[in-house]
Amino acid sequence: MSAIRTVLGDIPAPDMGVTDAHDHLFFRSPVLAGQELDDRQAAAAELRAFGGLGGRTVVQWTPYGLGRRRADLAELARETGIQVVSATGLHQAVHYDPDHLARIRDRLAELFVHDLTKAPVRSGLIKVAGGFHGLDTHARHVMAAAAEAHRATDAPIAVHLEGGTAATQVMDLLCGALGVRPEGVILGHLGRSPDTRAHLDAAHTGAFLSFDGPSRAHHATDWRLFDELAALAEAGHGHRILLGGDTTTATARASSGGGPGIPFLLHSLRPRLVREFGEQFAAEVFVDNPARAFAADWA
Ligand SMILES: [Zn+2]
C-alpha cells in the first residue's frame, strides 16, 4: 500500500495536500554554531502560519544526530494539525563528532531501517549528502547504506547536493550501481548551481528535483528560480519539481528571525507560480508531485 509515513503514522498519498517538500523545524550542527533551530515555540509558529495559508504537510530533512527532535515533531503535528514527515539518514561527515561517526559506521543501514520501521516516531525518508562536484568516501558509504535501507523499506532518499553539484554522480551511484528506483530519489539544492543544462540532465535521470529557499546564504542564485522552473517545465519535467523553504537557521524564520521562513512558500512563491505558469502547475508542484515523491510501498 503506497503511503506517506508521517510522524503520527502512515497516511494515503492523496492526503498529503499542500506540501513544503524540504524544510527544517529543528536542526543543530557544529557547522552552524549559534544558529541552532531548537526553539519549539518558533517551530510551532512556523507550522501555524503555514497552515493558515493552506499548507498541510512539512517534510523535515534533518537527519540522524543533528537535533531532529522526533518526539517534539510528533507533539507539534498533534498540536498544530500540520502533518510532518521526519528523516533518518546522515549528513556530511563535517556535521558530526568523528568518534560518534566511528561508532555507528558499520551499522548505518540497520540504524536507518530501525528509524523507518521500528522507532516510536518513525521516519519517512532517508537523507544523504553529496560533496562539491564529487563524492567522498563518507558520502559513498552513507549512500550504500541508504540504498540498502531503501531496498528493505522502499523509503525515498533525499539528497543534499553540495552547491547544487554532482547530481549525475549521485544518480550513477544510487540508481546505476545500488539499485534504487530513480523516482525514489529527490535531488535537493539544485538551484544553488543555476545551470539549466545540468538540471535537465538531472531531470532525465528520472529523479524528483527539489528547489529550495529563498535564503540569505543563497541569495546569489535564488533569483534564477523562475527561469530554471520554466526551462524544466518547457522540457516536460514539471511533474518532477518540488519546492521547499529549507529554513536551516534561526534568522531564516519568519516567526522569530525576521526571515522569509516557511510561510513565504505560500504567501509569496505560490502566487508568483500561479501568475507565471498557471494554477495547474502550482497544484502539481505543491500537491501532486510531493504526494508521488514521498510515497512508498512500505515494507
Ligand atoms: Zn535542508
Side-chain angles (χ1 to χ4, degrees):
M1 172 62 191
S2 192
I4 312 293
R5 183 149 289 176
T6 81
V7 293
L8 296 182
D10 290 0
I11 59 167
D15 290 356
M16 199 174 192
V18 172
T19 297
D20 173 353
H22 176 177
D23 230 306
H24 302 272
L25 295 162
F26 298 109
F27 186 71
R28 166 173 44 72
S29 163
V31 178
L32 293 167
Q35 279 293 313
E36 292 78 8
L37 290 183
D38 56 5
D39 182 338
R40 193 181 180 288
Q41 275 192 331
E46 293 287 305
L47 287 175
R48 288 208 172 88
F50 183 67
L53 294 161
R56 284 293 293 134
T57 304
V58 172
V59 183
Q60 167 167 293
W61 286 32
T62 308
Y64 171 87
L66 299 184
R68 56 192 163 157
R69 290 172 61 170
R70 290 172 290 178
D72 280 317
L73 291 178
E75 275 180 24
L76 284 172
R78 228 173 258 121
E79 277 171 35
T80 64
I82 302 298
Q83 302 172 133
V84 177
V85 180
S86 163
T88 183
L90 233 60
H91 210 321
Q92 293 157 340
V94 67
H95 291 278
Y96 298 93
D97 164 34
D99 293 338
H100 184 178
L101 270 192
R103 282 198 300 278
I104 58 172
R105 187 185 155 81
D106 294 333
R107 53 179 187 91
L108 288 183
E110 184 192 332
L111 188 157
F112 298 163
V113 171
H114 179 270
D115 278 356
L116 293 159
T117 61
K118 299 247 165 56
V121 176
R122 291 181 297 177
S123 301
L125 71 149
I126 309 164
K127 154 90 166 264
V128 298
F132 189 52
H133 289 291
L135 303 175
D136 63 10
T137 309
H138 171 84
R140 289 175 181 280
H141 180 72
V142 172
M143 285 185 197
E148 192 180 333
H150 165 85
R151 291 194 303 269
T153 63
D154 199 43
I157 297 177
V159 187
H160 164 102
L161 294 175
E162 183 65 26
T165 66
T168 311
Q169 288 100 313
V170 167
M171 292 304 282
D172 284 349
L173 176 61
L174 285 178
C175 304
L178 298 169
V180 176
R181 55 184 175 90
E183 68 283 6
V185 180
I186 301 159
L187 298 172
H189 300 322
L190 280 161
R192 294 181 185 182
S193 179
D195 175 344
T196 303
R197 287 175 181 81
H199 296 175
L200 289 170
D201 287 344
H204 283 133
T205 66
F208 283 92
L209 313 176
S210 175
F211 290 82
D212 41 59
S215 75
R216 288 188 175 90
H218 309 298
H219 189 64
T221 54
D222 279 344
W223 63 277
R224 296 289 301 272
L225 176 66
F226 281 82
D227 290 337
E228 292 164 343
L229 298 184
L232 286 166
E234 277 161 24
H237 297 295
H239 63 297
R240 304 190 194 287
I241 298 170
L242 304 170
L243 283 180
D246 196 26
T247 315
T248 50
T249 59
T251 52
R253 279 189 155 149
S255 51
S256 53
I262 294 178
F264 185 91
L265 279 179
L266 298 183
H267 68 58
S268 293
L269 272 189
R270 193 183 186 287
R272 261 194 85 189
L273 219 57
V274 171
R275 270 203 314 278
E276 299 266 352
F277 307 111
E279 191 69 52
Q280 176 57 39
F281 182 83
E284 208 175 4
V285 165
F286 280 112
V287 181
D288 304 345
N289 298 347
R292 293 200 323 285
F294 294 101
D297 293 319
W298 294 101

